Amino acid sequence: MNYKALFSIALTCLLLTSCGGATRLDANKLPKGYTLNKKLSIPSDVPLAIYLPKSVLEGSFVQKYSNRRVEVGKSLISAMDTVTNKYFTKVSYFDPSSDENFGLLLDIEPKWDYKNGDIVLTFNYKVLNAQQKIIMESSTTYEGTFNYQYPNVGFYNSSLRATQQMMVKLLNKLKPTAAIYPEVATMNSVSTELLADMEKPVSSGTGFHINANGQILTAAHVIRNCLVVKAQVGEKVTNASLVQESPLLDLAVMETGKPTENYLKFRKTNDIVLGEKVTTVSYPLKGLLEASPNLTLGNISSKKALKGSLGLFQFSAPIQPGSSGGPIVSEHGDVLGVVTSTLNISSLVERGVIPQNVNFGLDTKYINKFLNKHSFEYKYNSKKLDSKNVSDATLAATVQLACYQ
């Protein structure tokens, strides 16, 4: 969503002092020009599953001029629940790990925009049957009033009308009954690439191979909420699936099923030395799968990180968005940690403080505990490499991870 555009709308509404009322629209009244076939059996007895990207479900922003949080995702879900539960006896949201059955699967890609002070919601959607065959593809758009004083109401109303338009089209065309669309498939049997927008990733990050089996270690937040993850090294792209993660440590291991000779080894002593030289490799260009890796050099600048943090150390090698999950390697080729974050300097800049290269990594001692706990194979480094071999080995073992929803 274009939040800057929405802020502009909010300012316009403030100046005009009117942008619609605070009343939610009546769900029993259909939008103008939309009618249901009177021969339909409503509500339908077909179990309906709905897929919406996580980024949409969690969408929100703070309205600049009122300092109110606008819960776009919650408004959308609330409106969609209101409508779909009127027309189907059983509605659930798609969970790729669930063994729940469905008869129809509705894959929706919502897009928000604005026009002349109004908010515009477009649904591009497709419907799949239990055999994972696309039986309907369409789109619908609703232009609603932005409500400055009650912005969530404005987003709810637009979502309600857009969902009604979509449901009318779906019901009139498919005439769904359990006899026509039996619930013979489970959610976890669905190929997720049929649902995700595979044209462009919503985000990208970095990971690295830790063993010859092709397993990849990364930061857990890199792959969080991804429906599909692709791993790329050079021109080779492969699927990567989550095997194990720790939200507390911000670590995850991905499985590729592709054996490799290029993987990194860990420091056996599990300690870091203040001031020692480090190398990092990452793919920092968000959303660009073809981006080339960045190799940067720096030092361990502190064995501690922010107050209250656990297991993090500070290093000076420059990183950018998309670097998370990359390896932090010693000058001899030992993995010392995983890139997790960088200091948010926006508030410090306002105070006249401009820190540089304040970046954080998770200490290898915690990484090893995580890998040992879940019986992942890895090795310790037994020989010192020269700088060129360190760079070559780190580049060869590091992969770009692209997240699709």
Side-chain angles (χ1 to χ4, degrees), residues 74-371:
K74 289 182 179 179
S75 298
L76 173 61
I77 288 298
S78 177
M80 192 165 287
D81 287 344
T82 299
V83 176
T84 56
N85 286 319
K86 287 175 60 67
Y87 298 124
F88 287 86
T89 57
K90 184 180 180 183
V91 180
S92 55
Y93 288 92
F94 181 78
D95 178 356
S97 64
S98 172
D99 60 1
E100 184 177 347
N101 289 76
F102 69 90
L104 289 175
L105 175 54
L106 177 58
D107 178 13
I108 310 171
E109 182 184 350
K111 291 187 179 297
W112 296 93
D113 205 346
Y114 79 105
K115 178 181 178 182
N116 300 326
D118 291 337
I119 50 178
V120 181
L121 174 57
T122 298
F123 284 159
N124 295 310
Y125 61 95
K126 57 188 176 185
V127 184
L128 293 80
N129 60 17
Q131 289 73 40
Q132 301 184 42
K133 180 181 178 181
I134 298 174
I135 56 176
M136 179 181 178
E137 285 188 89
S138 187
S139 65
T140 192
T141 299
Y142 184 80
E143 186 175 321
T145 303
F146 185 87
N147 188 316
Y148 171 73
Q149 291 185 314
Y150 303 94
N152 287 312
V153 174
F155 281 101
Y156 173 89
N157 288 340
S158 294
S159 301
L160 183 87
R161 288 295 188 242
T163 304
Q164 287 178 316
Q165 292 175 178
M166 178 177 60
M167 282 291 108
V168 170
K169 288 182 178 181
L170 185 157
L171 292 165
N172 285 342
K173 181 173 182 177
L174 299 181
K175 302 176 179 57
T177 65
I180 302 174
Y181 302 107
E183 50 178 308
V184 295
T186 58
M187 295 187 196
N188 57 14
S189 69
V190 176
S191 172
T192 51
E193 290 194 27
L194 290 174
L195 305 180
D197 179 1
M198 299 303 297
E199 292 186 4
K200 185 178 180 180
V202 296
S203 64
S204 68
T206 308
F208 60 97
H209 290 294
I210 57 171
N211 54 43
N213 301 324
Q215 291 177 325
I216 295 170
L217 184 67
T218 186
H221 73 266
V222 168
I223 50 86
R224 189 165 297 138
N225 295 333
C226 302
L227 190 62
V228 175
V229 177
K230 296 283 187 179
Q232 178 168 351
V233 181
E235 298 299 320
K236 295 181 180 179
V237 181
T238 185
N239 288 325
S241 58
L242 177 65
V243 180
Q244 193 62 248
E245 68 175 328
S246 169
L248 177 63
L249 295 177
D250 193 15
L251 284 179
V253 171
M254 308 292 290
E255 181 67 71
T256 65
K258 302 289 186 181
T260 179
E261 297 178 356
N262 301 309
Y263 59 92
L264 297 178
K265 300 178 182 179
F266 292 78
R267 174 171 288 181
K268 191 169 186 179
T269 57
N270 275 347
D271 61 354
I272 57 176
V273 179
L274 190 64
E276 69 174 303
K277 297 177 181 179
V278 295
T279 298
T280 67
V281 171
S282 62
Y283 290 83
L285 300 178
K286 178 181 178 181
L288 299 177
L289 194 61
E290 66 274 20
S292 60
N294 277 18
L295 186 148
T296 58
L297 305 175
N299 301 86
I300 301 294
S301 47
S302 175
K303 291 186 176 183
K304 301 292 183 181
L306 299 175
K307 290 183 178 179
S309 62
L310 173 67
L312 298 181
F313 62 87
Q314 184 179 323
F315 65 97
S316 64
I319 66 171
Q320 301 174 46
S323 297
S324 291
I328 305 169
V329 180
S330 78
E331 61 181 327
H332 301 304
D334 312 323
V335 174
L336 302 181
V338 172
V339 176
T340 59
S341 59
T342 189
L343 186 65
N344 187 340
I345 67 172
S346 57
S347 61
L348 296 176
V349 170
E350 292 177 359
R351 293 155 51 187
V353 180
I354 306 179
Q356 295 183 349
N357 296 332
V358 182
N359 309 311
F360 305 111
L362 181 67
D363 195 322
T364 187
K365 70 175 66 175
Y366 294 94
I367 299 173
N368 294 155
K369 288 180 179 180
F370 169 75
L371 296 177

